[in-house]
Amino acid sequence: MRHFGHIAPEVRQRLFFQEPCEFDADSPARLLAAALGATLYSPATRPRLADDIVKQAGLGVVSMVLCLEDSIGDEDVPAAEENLVRQFTELAARPDTELPLLFIRVRVPEQIPDLVRRMGPAVRLLSGFVMPKFTEESGTPFLEALAAAEAASGHRLFGMPVLESPELLYRESRVETLEGISRAVDKYRDRVLALRLGVTDFCSSYGLRRASDMTAYDVQIVANVIGDVVNMLGRADGTGFTVTGPVWEYFRVQERMFKPQLRRSPFLEGQAEELREVLIEHAMDGLLREISLDQANGLLGKTCIHPSHVLPVHALSVVSHEEFSDAQDILRPERGGGGVLRSAYTNKMNEVKPHRAWAERTMLRAEIFGVAREDVGFVELLAAGIPG
């Protein structure tokens, strides 16, 4: 699979200075963690789940979570588990079908070895499990169950803890909770692919819900937690993990209080004014702003609950030609001693040592999501990715 692999090769060549790389479920963890992109959630109860997965893969989705937790009722769990086993078995019977990375969001640790056992050979299609309301005390049993299931099946499995518990939100317990989470995930570092933020649960603790024209960063309680999570668990010194962005809840706006947040000029230049109107109508202006703030705050990828959110996440993850040029200059071997240089675009200063970690992160993103040509922006990437 590859990002933007669903669009025609000749279109990719026109859009990309460097095309996104190919990868699969057996690729190195470091690459997969960054390649998750827009992770689309789906209830595990869907009767045609196998067909849905294949369809979404054909539309550019590269990672999906099949949910046994909050998206379904308590009484539906046994039937949902049976459905998952049946749908995975059906997918396994379809040779040469391209699938996204598939994860299951469980409720309790015991579901992990049980589902792996029940899937039998079809478990080869599973990349891992999402672990809800993760703390050191509640999360360690999930990681232990994951390790045991991997050993029993002989198949590599990853965990993605969701950071959403009230202990993490409350100021008086946050640091202690983060320290505990850090101990737990560090012990199982090779098995933890990424950390996911459960912002909806954070808001629920205070009876809050952000509007469609506000981002998670406009809710100060949430913004403070995101900052602390990145501070302690997302460091670029080799101790950190990939932290993914929070879910965007909206996909159509009935009425808005504030002006749309999408500037008109990029769409006029790309002759895509109609696309701008569609994005605004579907609350995508807020989503695009939140994606940009995710990236500015050290997050990569995003939890998505609607297929229309996938393409904007991926389009804004593509590295611009200017970013690529700066990163290349900073990482040149002859720059190992540091120093300051003017960017090739002559509009900024690149300071080699302070900007090195940013440059390394940018080059990894360039490998996975590609580098846009000099005259290509996110508007062209969005327009090209929309099915005709």
Side-chain angles (χ1 to χ4, degrees), residues 243-286:
V243 182
T244 66
V247 69
W248 180 256
E249 299 177 351
Y250 296 92
F251 41 89
R252 182 175 286 273
V253 177
Q254 302 301 324
E255 184 179 354
R256 63 172 64 238
M257 182 180 299
F258 300 110
K259 288 182 178 180
Q261 301 173 67
L262 276 181
R263 290 188 302 112
R264 188 180 299 272
S265 54
F267 292 86
L268 292 175
E269 293 166 6
Q271 297 183 332
E273 177 68 8
E274 185 177 338
L275 173 59
R276 179 178 180 271
E277 295 302 320
V278 171
L279 293 172
I280 291 171
E281 179 186 352
H282 289 80
M284 296 296 182
D285 54 325

Side-chain angles (χ1 to χ4, degrees), residues 169-362:
L169 181 62
Y170 301 149
R171 184 173 183 178
E172 67 271 20
S173 56
R174 186 179 307 162
V175 172
E176 181 181 353
T177 302
L178 281 169
E179 288 174 343
I181 292 171
S182 180
R183 287 191 295 268
V185 295
D186 188 60
K187 182 178 178 180
Y188 290 88
R189 177 171 291 274
D190 292 342
R191 298 276 60 81
V192 176
L193 189 62
L195 305 177
R196 312 199 71 88
L197 286 164
V199 164
T200 301
D201 278 46
F202 288 158
C203 289
S204 73
S205 296
Y206 287 87
L208 304 175
R209 186 174 190 178
R210 68 190 189 276
S212 61
D213 44 14
M214 293 186 181
T215 72
Y217 302 91
D218 294 313
V219 183
Q220 285 302 300
I221 290 174
V222 171
N224 289 338
V225 178
I226 293 174
D228 287 343
V229 168
V230 174
N231 190 326
M232 294 186 67
L233 298 171
R235 299 177 185 180
D237 59 0
T239 67
F241 295 83
T242 294
V243 182
T244 66
V247 69
W248 180 256
E249 299 177 351
Y250 296 92
F251 41 89
R252 182 175 286 273
V253 177
Q254 302 301 324
E255 184 179 354
R256 63 172 64 238
M257 182 180 299
F258 300 110
K259 288 182 178 180
Q261 301 173 67
L262 276 181
R263 290 188 302 112
R264 188 180 299 272
S265 54
F267 292 86
L268 292 175
E269 293 166 6
Q271 297 183 332
E273 177 68 8
E274 185 177 338
L275 173 59
R276 179 178 180 271
E277 295 302 320
V278 171
L279 293 172
I280 291 171
E281 179 186 352
H282 289 80
M284 296 296 182
D285 54 325
L287 171 62
L288 291 169
R289 181 166 177 261
E290 185 166 285
I291 296 166
S292 298
L293 289 169
D294 286 341
Q295 294 176 358
N297 285 277
L299 309 184
L300 183 60
K302 199 165 187 66
T303 295
C304 294
I305 47 85
H306 195 274
S308 64
H309 298 169
V310 172
L311 182 57
V313 174
H314 293 169
L316 284 179
S317 297
V318 173
V319 173
S320 70
H321 188 272
E322 180 175 345
E323 290 175 308
F324 183 70
S325 173
D326 288 339
Q328 273 193 318
D329 285 347
I330 290 165
L331 295 175
R332 291 188 191 283
E334 64 269 25
R335 302 288 182 190
V340 177
L341 58 149
R342 185 175 64 172
S343 73
Y345 276 69
T346 69
N347 61 356
K348 72 177 74 65
M349 172 195 75
N350 288 326
E351 195 168 350
V352 174
K353 288 184 177 179
H355 290 144
R356 176 169 290 275
W358 168 86
E360 291 171 347
R361 185 179 174 121
T362 299

